[in-house]
């Protein structure tokens, strides 16, 4: 398969890390299906223009990743438009802070539904395309929060640990079909989600001091690791989790 015909789906691609990955993959020659939830339609259209400006195809696919019906419709749209899907980057995610003591059940459910179930549903919807091609690259965006975590994020940490466990077993199931599955675990990245903490200068400094490279990450810092795991350079890498955190969790 030539590099020029490569296709990738990136979920949660209207801003932040997802947008950086979508644009970064277009720069690397991929046609990109960009997903986000319906309320981000206009912002997603701007990302599509940016990708088209790079000379690649952009397919806008609106879907809530926690809805099986919407996710299945999204996979059908991608199949109709691209015919095949080489890679998927499960990036859509949410964080609603709250200590375990008073955490509302609905917050637990929402975070698990988008972060963990959403990853499962999207993977399940694209597997038939990848299995038919006997080729696929699945990159799931987990978090160092799923290994380490921080107060007020127990449910978020649980959801990202679930993504990592899911990916390790998935890798064992789909390897026989030429499909790899890996996780990227970003550290502290300056996005709308990251700003929940980072707007406080004291917290920003605390994270900078905890980071070997002494800086907060930018969304673009995550792209290289994702592109590597989606590429043929990573043909023999599967079931792994790669921290992209400037040196916070050292393992
Ligand atoms: P972000 O700026 O909040 O962007 C997330 C995007 O996903 C938003 O456009 C959001 O739309 C969309 N989204 C939310 N729920 C969705 C759903 N059900 N279906 C489809 N799209 C949905 O977040 P980010 O910081 O770029 O994070 C991207 C990923 O990296 C997430 O999985 C996050 O957990 C992970 N991560 C981030 C950091 C960090 O420091 N930023 C660190 C580790 C891991 P709405 O805003 O409309 O909901």
């Amino acid at each position: 398969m030539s590099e020029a015909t490569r296709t990738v789906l990136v979920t949660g691609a209207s801003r932040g890390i997802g947008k950086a990955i979508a644009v970064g993959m277009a720069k690397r020659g991929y046609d990109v299906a960009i997903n986000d939830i319906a309320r981000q339609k206009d912002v997603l259209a701007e990302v599509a223009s940016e990708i088209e400006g790079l000379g690649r195809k952009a397919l806008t696919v609106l879907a809530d990743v926690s809805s099986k019906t919407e996710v299945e419709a999204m996979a059908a749209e991608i199949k109709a438009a691209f015919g095949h899907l080489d890679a998927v980057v499960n990036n859509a995610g949410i964080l609603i802070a709250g200590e375990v003591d008073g955490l509302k059940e609905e917050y637990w459910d929402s975070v698990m539904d988008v972060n963990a179930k959403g990853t499962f549903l999207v993977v399940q919807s694209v597997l038939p395309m990848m299995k038919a091609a006997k080729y696929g690259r699945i990159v799931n965006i987990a978090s160092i929060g799923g290994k380490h975590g921080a107060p007020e994020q127990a449910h978020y940490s649980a959801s990202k640990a679930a993504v990592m466990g899911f990916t390790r077993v998935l890798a064992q199931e789909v390897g026989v079909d030429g499909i790899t599955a890996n996780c990227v675990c970003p550290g502290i990245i300056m996005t709308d989600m990251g700003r929940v903490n980072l707007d406080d200068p004291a917290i920003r400094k605390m994270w900078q001091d905890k980071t070997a490279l002494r800086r907060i990450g930018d969304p673009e810092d995550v792209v290289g690791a994702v592109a590597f795991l989606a590429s043929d350079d990573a043909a023999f890498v599967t079931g792994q989790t790669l921290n992209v955190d400037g040196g916070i969790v050292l393992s």
Side-chain angles (χ1 to χ4, degrees):
M1 210 177 304
S2 89
E3 190 69 16
T5 63
R6 292 269 156 124
T7 57
V8 60
L9 163 64
V10 184
T11 67
S14 71
R15 64 162 193 261
I17 295 170
K19 177 184 174 185
I21 293 168
V23 172
M25 295 302 277
K27 285 180 180 164
R28 287 164 174 81
Y30 288 73
D31 289 340
V32 191
I34 45 173
N35 153 271
D36 214 293
I37 202 158
R39 60 179 171 257
Q40 297 295 347
K41 187 177 177 194
D42 294 344
V43 192
L44 203 56
E46 290 169 24
V47 180
S49 299
E50 197 171 331
I51 289 168
E52 284 159 4
L54 292 164
R56 304 311 323 166
K57 285 186 193 149
L59 176 71
T60 300
V61 275
L62 296 171
D64 176 341
V65 296
S66 66
S67 159
K68 187 173 169 68
T69 317
E70 292 184 30
V71 164
E72 284 179 349
M74 173 168 75
E77 265 187 81
I78 294 168
K79 190 172 183 193
F82 287 165
H84 70 287
L85 189 67
D86 296 301
V88 59
V89 183
N90 281 294
N91 165 82
I94 59 170
L95 166 62
I96 312 168
E99 285 191 354
V100 173
D101 253 4
L103 189 71
K104 291 184 182 166
E105 186 182 351
E106 71 222 51
Y107 290 176
W108 173 276
D109 287 344
S110 301
V111 167
M112 293 304 280
D113 274 359
V114 176
N115 297 1
K117 190 173 87 173
T119 298
F120 153 64
L121 289 176
V122 172
V123 166
Q124 194 179 50
S125 75
V126 301
L127 270 183
M129 265 189 281
M130 291 182 169
K131 284 189 171 183
K134 288 274 174 202
Y135 181 91
R137 297 278 182 270
I138 297 166
V139 184
N140 295 329
I141 305 299
S143 170
I144 61 165
K147 297 179 169 179
H148 182 275
E152 299 190 7
Q153 296 184 7
H155 51 322
Y156 178 80
S157 179
S159 74
K160 294 300 189 178
V163 168
M164 287 185 258
F166 169 73
T167 306
R168 283 192 282 267
V169 175
L170 177 67
Q172 295 171 59
E173 290 184 0
V174 300
V176 70
D177 291 302
I179 301 168
T180 65
N182 292 285
C183 284
V184 167
C185 294
I188 309 299
I189 310 293
M190 187 55 96
T191 65
D192 285 3
M193 184 188 285
R195 268 181 209 102
V196 171
N197 289 318
L198 299 173
D199 275 346
D200 180 336
I203 294 182
R204 199 160 60 237
K205 180 166 184 330
M206 181 271 289
W207 280 116
Q208 274 169 344
D209 290 347
K210 275 192 180 184
T211 306
L213 292 173
R214 293 292 190 277
R215 69 175 175 87
I216 303 299
D218 293 317
E220 289 70 22
D221 283 317
V222 183
V223 178
V226 172
F228 164 65
L229 291 171
S231 77
D232 287 337
D233 285 341
F236 206 52
V237 181
T238 197
Q240 304 302 311
T241 64
L242 177 55
N243 299 336
V244 181
D245 67 354
I248 300 174
V249 176
L250 305 173
S251 59

